[in-house]
Amino acid sequence: MRTAGSCANEYILTRTWTAKDICGNTVTHSQIIRVEDKTPPVFVGTLPRDIKVGCDAIPTAPVLTATDNCGAATVTYAEVRTVGACEETGFIITRTWTATDACGNTTIHKQIINVENTSPAITVEKIADVKIVRQAGDIIRYTIVVTNSGNLTLRNIKVVDPLTGLSETIAVLAPGEKKTFTTSYVVKISDFNSGKVINVVNANGTDPKGNPVTGTDTEEVVVEPLKLNIPNVITLNGDGKNYSFYIDGLEAYPENNLIIFNRWNNEVYNSNGYYKNNWTGEGLNDGTYYYLLKIKNKSGAWQALTGFITLLRKN
């Protein structure tokens, strides 16, 4: 006879043997077997171990199963986060799987995940308002955006742009926060030698543990000189026009020399180096003159340009 116990896997089994003779006399013997379920269920497979990860590498909780020696077992899952957000000090996730059989026997497995905030980052973006400049004196205006692209608050970020002289400090920059700066640069004659203006900006700060965090960006602006525009007349009549031998675009060729000859091939002017666009023909008679302009191009070769210039003092 089987009598149910306190749970599905527990019961009392009563076995009775009866001996009887031919006269009907009997004797009995009973055996009582108490079946108890005290063995907890067992998880199946490899269980997740304790780990240490960054905020962006938290693994998905696996689904665990369990077996029981007396029948089926169910598994429940719970997760506790001690802080609740990826803050500067990190946080701890405690994952608990509980396997329970029909009699309430349980087996518990816990996984501790230490989440460390290890992703500090600075992103620097530098944008010029022009892509090409053509003469000395042109102004390049830059916009610099410094962004905390990590998940740690950064401090004492020094933003330095050596070319323009910009030097700023950001005291505190929270994750996702950005700061914008503007600065400018005046194109120099020497920039035409390299053919470009290369500007590098650096941002250097520290994370909450004092570790350095850096970011940088480079912006290039092409220096493309204007074509030389050489005049063919100087009119010294007081109207303020064409009063000097002004060669437009010459600033792109800082290594140059200008020589002026009269019609008898006598030298009447020599700049003896960089010509400053200031020859007016002062002291010379009206007439036609011959010029020889030498410039050194970007490849380092000297190039000779020749032509005629007419000097007029009256309309």
Side-chain angles (χ1 to χ4, degrees), residues 92-265:
I92 296 175
I93 296 175
T94 302
R95 291 175 170 174
T96 303
W97 292 265
T98 303
T100 306
D101 65 15
C103 289
N105 300 303
T106 60
T107 298
I108 296 175
H109 175 72
K110 289 189 176 184
Q111 179 191 33
I112 305 298
I113 302 176
N114 283 287
V115 182
E116 292 187 337
N117 201 330
T118 56
S119 303
I122 297 176
T123 300
V124 180
E125 184 180 19
K126 185 170 196 175
I127 303 172
D129 66 337
V130 294
K131 296 299 181 183
I132 299 175
V133 290
R134 301 190 182 279
Q135 55 188 349
D138 283 353
I139 298 176
I140 305 173
R141 295 175 176 84
Y142 295 97
T143 300
I144 301 169
V145 181
V146 180
T147 304
N148 183 342
S149 52
N151 45 30
L152 289 174
T153 296
L154 304 177
R155 301 181 185 278
N156 298 320
I157 303 170
K158 297 186 182 300
V159 183
V160 178
D161 182 348
L163 183 69
T164 66
L166 174 76
S167 180
E168 298 284 350
T169 299
I170 305 172
V172 179
L173 197 64
E177 188 179 4
K178 61 180 63 178
K179 295 290 185 181
T180 301
F181 305 94
T182 57
T183 186
S184 62
Y185 174 74
V186 179
V187 178
K188 301 176 181 178
I189 292 177
S190 58
D191 294 322
F192 287 86
N193 291 329
S194 61
K196 62 181 67 174
V197 175
I198 302 175
N199 196 353
V200 180
V201 62
N202 297 295
N204 300 282
T206 57
D207 67 12
K209 295 182 180 180
N211 299 315
V213 184
T214 63
T216 187
D217 191 29
T218 301
E219 179 78 342
E220 293 188 4
V221 175
V222 175
V223 178
E224 186 176 281
L226 294 169
K227 293 182 179 180
L228 292 179
N229 184 12
I230 304 176
N232 58 11
V233 65
I234 296 177
T235 56
L236 300 177
N237 56 8
D239 64 357
K241 300 178 181 179
N242 301 321
Y243 59 87
S244 69
F245 189 51
Y246 187 90
I247 304 174
D248 193 20
L250 186 61
E251 64 271 14
Y253 304 94
E255 295 187 67
N256 64 66
N257 190 72
L258 175 67
I259 304 175
I260 305 292
F261 301 90
N262 62 19
R263 61 180 178 173
W264 294 285
N265 203 31

